[in-house]
Amino acid sequence: MAEIVPGAFHFPGFLDAAAQERLAQEIAAVIEQAPLFVSRMPKSGLPMSVRMTNCGPLGWMSDRDRGYRYEPRHPETGALWPPIPKMLLDIWDELTRYPKPPEACLVNVYSNDAKMGLHQDRDEADFEAPILSLSLGADCRFRFGGPKRSDKTVGFTLSSGDALVFGGPARLCFHGVDRILPPILTPLPAPLAGQGARVNLTLRRVT
Ligand code: MD3
Ligand code: FE
């Protein structure tokens, strides 16, 4: 475990190969119940390059007219999001030690050319709770900065099986995904093969 900056913890290889396979199976089942969809930027309506879905009582989404928000239902099927798999609830307890369970698990699916611009996560009412992120599949170059967009940033590689926890002073730091690295060494486990090159799960408290 490495503390990148105060409050930001990196657990390289937290999930071994067998745990990554089990998690991939769980996420494939979530995608069957809640198909991947494309969110759009507020106002411009430009599509994001990442495809996403959610599990848990609330799911993150965005569209042109109503912007970034959490919703209890899938924007296309109208169904409630499927529950967060027990495996993920257990990892949340182990790594965050936070007394309440996550309310949202966002599943981001990256193709080879997808990226995510530098942003803050501030669509939640509760900034006390930490955020937990898990990565599967291709490596990516991740960028992490400070509470202001203009703060200096550090880049590092996130690999399949890595976990990150962001709490306290790191909770509102800017971050983004610069690029996906060639997925030759770490393709997505079989149940998710064909969906993309990399999957990231972000677990959050919302209310
Ligand atoms: C640092 N996702 O969905 S995970 C996001 O790899 C998001 O899909 C990226 O940023 C991804 O909002 C990065 C790492 C992460 C997630 C949340 C954070 C880093 C964070 C919240 C605060 C600070
Ligand atoms: Fe984010």
Side-chain angles (χ1 to χ4, degrees):
M1 191 272 287
E3 191 166 17
I4 309 158
V5 297
F9 301 91
H10 185 198
F11 301 81
F14 176 74
L15 300 173
D16 65 18
Q20 291 176 43
E21 291 276 354
R22 292 203 306 279
L23 182 55
Q25 186 62 59
E26 299 280 13
I27 299 308
V30 166
I31 292 172
E32 275 184 26
Q33 296 171 72
L36 296 172
F37 64 94
V38 175
S39 277
R40 290 176 176 273
M41 300 300 290
K43 300 190 179 101
S44 75
L46 287 170
M48 298 186 182
S49 61
V50 174
R51 293 190 303 153
M52 61 185 62
T53 189
N54 293 271
C55 51
L58 292 170
W60 189 89
M61 59 164 290
S62 175
D63 57 24
R64 188 192 59 182
D65 296 334
R66 295 179 61 204
Y68 306 143
R69 64 194 189 275
Y70 285 90
E71 293 284 356
R73 291 176 186 276
H74 191 287
E76 290 164 6
T77 70
L80 295 174
W81 305 108
I84 299 177
K86 171 144 192 316
M87 177 181 179
L88 288 172
L89 298 175
D90 289 346
I91 295 170
W92 171 271
D93 288 344
E94 178 182 349
L95 289 185
T96 71
R97 300 264 143 208
Y98 196 72
K100 295 181 212 161
E103 296 172 292
C105 173
L106 172 62
V107 178
N108 285 324
V109 178
Y110 291 78
S111 56
N112 289 322
D113 55 1
K115 51 192 165 34
M116 189 177 286
L118 205 64
H119 67 277
Q120 288 172 301
D121 288 19
R122 48 183 321 146
D123 305 316
E124 301 77 29
D126 179 3
F127 297 144
E128 292 291 299
I131 289 180
L132 168 64
S133 146
L134 295 166
S135 293
L136 288 176
D139 291 356
C140 76
R141 285 301 289 177
F142 180 70
R143 185 161 293 285
F144 190 81
K148 297 199 303 277
R149 183 177 288 279
S150 57
D151 289 336
K152 82 167 186 336
T153 62
V154 292
F156 59 99
T157 299
L158 279 184
S159 298
S160 199
D162 286 9
L164 291 165
V165 175
F166 300 94
R171 174 64 182 77
L172 288 171
C173 288
F174 276 84
H175 58 279
V177 173
D178 289 347
R179 64 194 171 89
I180 302 299
L181 300 172
I184 297 158
L185 293 174
T186 48
L188 280 168
L192 288 169
Q195 301 283 2
R198 172 176 185 262
V199 170
N200 182 268
L201 309 176
T202 307
L203 287 88
R204 305 181 174 98
R205 289 289 303 176
V206 177
T207 60

